Amino acid sequence: MVRHAVILAAGLGTRFLPFTKAIPKPMLPIIDTPAIEYIIKEALESGITNITVVVGANGDVIKNHFTVNKHLDPSKISAELREKIAFSDNVKINFATQCVLNGTAGAIFGAREFVGENPFLVMNADELFVRENSSDAPVSRQLITAFEDSGKCVVGVKRVSPPEASRLGVVVGETVDERRTILRKIVEKPNICDIVDPLVNLGRYVVKPNLFPILERVAPNKNGEKTLTDALVDYTENEDVLCYNFVGKRYDIGNKESYMRAVFDFSMRDPRFERFARKRLLVN
């Protein structure tokens, strides 16, 4: 059973400067709720009971958000707001600090003491997923089920348009069926003319603890970073890695256009703002 999650929230978020000069990117608000709260809720809804958030140098902002604010007088805010704040006050989180931002492999390795010898979910804190239908399982739950059924490490993937795929990591492997592919390699930001099947890896993974030695020794990429995806490709030398084509809608919170789309789409689903959002949609 997968009960642990490591949430990667240490990035600098340079595409959102100057906002991210002092405030971590996962704290960007989706209306009035930081994006990282939605990431944590997805983990909890997927059966995760032990959450570790890997933060960077400005991680105190995230830590403070998930700590009771003693200066906030509950009697002066509405019951609705008290209920919302109760989530961030009461959710239990471990924090690990990535002092040197040397890639996702280093971030995950720094959470090893909290994960122990257990399989765990890895979540990018700047990638937000929502159900396409109310009956769908959360994306992380879909990957956990695929892991529990197969016993293999799992990479969350999705088919996208070739232009979008050219900005991401394209999965190359052996197709098992519509949902499953056995990973052979990941081509980062390929030339659009070379993309045959635009299946890309996105920010959700389920891995086993025997990945840790590979995370430690994986070679740096051309940017000098040690990445989880490179470690998973190295891992395939000894064990198969399963790519699972999940059902769900993705928002890249690190991309300004995608972030604004997330705020608008969430507004359309929020009774407080739906009328305003629809009015603006008609105007435009």
Side-chain angles (χ1 to χ4, degrees):
M1 300 292 284
V2 179
R3 291 288 182 261
H4 291 70
V6 175
I7 299 176
L8 307 181
L12 293 174
T14 54
R15 287 180 291 176
F16 267 89
L17 286 169
F19 178 87
T20 48
K21 181 180 178 182
I23 302 174
K25 180 172 55 177
M27 290 298 293
L28 280 163
I30 308 298
I31 306 178
D32 55 7
T33 301
I36 194 169
E37 275 204 27
Y38 289 105
I39 309 298
I40 290 172
K41 287 176 181 176
E42 179 191 337
L44 296 173
E45 291 171 1
S46 300
I48 298 299
T49 55
N50 189 306
I51 296 172
T52 299
V53 178
V54 182
V55 298
N58 57 358
D60 284 347
V61 177
I62 297 177
K63 294 178 183 178
N64 290 341
H65 179 72
F66 292 101
T67 303
V68 175
N69 185 335
K70 296 179 181 179
H71 302 289
L72 192 61
D73 186 349
S75 67
K76 295 182 179 180
I77 58 177
S78 68
E80 180 183 5
L81 282 177
R82 286 198 299 272
E83 183 178 351
K84 285 189 172 186
I85 293 170
F87 174 80
S88 56
D89 282 351
N90 296 316
V91 66
K92 303 301 181 185
I93 302 173
N94 304 309
F95 287 97
T97 301
Q98 187 178 15
C99 298
V100 179
L101 299 184
N102 58 354
T104 51
I108 297 166
F109 195 83
R112 186 173 187 174
E113 65 175 294
F114 299 107
V115 172
E117 295 301 316
N118 299 289
F120 58 99
L121 171 70
V122 178
M123 311 174 78
N124 289 358
D126 58 1
E127 296 193 62
L128 178 61
F129 295 91
V130 299
R131 295 175 173 89
E132 292 183 357
N133 301 289
S134 59
S135 59
D136 294 338
V139 168
S140 291
R141 181 66 251 175
Q142 295 174 46
L143 302 190
I144 290 170
T145 298
F147 169 81
E148 292 173 347
D149 289 345
S150 67
K152 305 179 190 304
C153 292
V154 178
V155 177
V157 299
K158 197 168 181 65
R159 282 186 170 82
V160 300
S161 67
E164 186 175 1
S166 69
R167 301 190 297 268
L168 300 167
V170 173
V171 165
V172 178
E174 300 164 9
T175 302
V176 177
D177 55 34
E178 180 185 4
R179 291 287 169 205
R180 297 175 296 165
T181 300
I182 300 299
L183 178 67
R184 290 295 173 251
K185 64 179 179 178
I186 297 174
V187 181
E188 294 293 341
K189 299 181 179 179
N191 189 306
I192 192 170
C193 299
D194 298 330
I195 299 172
V196 178
D197 185 11
L199 191 67
V200 300
N201 72 291
L202 298 173
R204 298 291 185 273
Y205 312 82
V206 182
V207 299
K208 295 191 279 189
N210 63 354
L211 182 67
F212 277 118
I214 299 174
L215 289 170
E216 188 174 22
R217 65 173 182 263
V218 66
N221 62 17
K222 62 182 180 181
N223 298 320
E225 295 185 338
K226 296 184 175 185
T227 69
L228 168 60
T229 49
D230 285 343
L232 284 167
V233 172
D234 290 350
Y235 186 88
T236 63
E237 295 177 6
N238 297 308
E239 289 189 38
D240 282 344
V241 172
L242 182 68
C243 299
Y244 187 82
N245 185 8
F246 60 81
V247 177
K249 185 171 184 177
R250 170 188 179 252
Y251 299 97
D252 178 0
I253 301 303
N255 175 284
K256 293 178 183 177
E257 181 181 341
S258 183
Y259 168 70
M260 288 187 288
R261 189 180 302 117
V263 174
F264 181 82
D265 288 354
F266 274 66
S267 299
M268 290 284 284
R269 293 191 292 269
D270 191 318
R272 297 173 298 170
F273 307 108
E274 180 184 8
R275 179 188 294 182
F276 172 79
R278 290 191 182 278
K279 185 182 295 185
R280 298 304 303 168
L281 185 64
L282 290 173
V283 168
N284 296 326

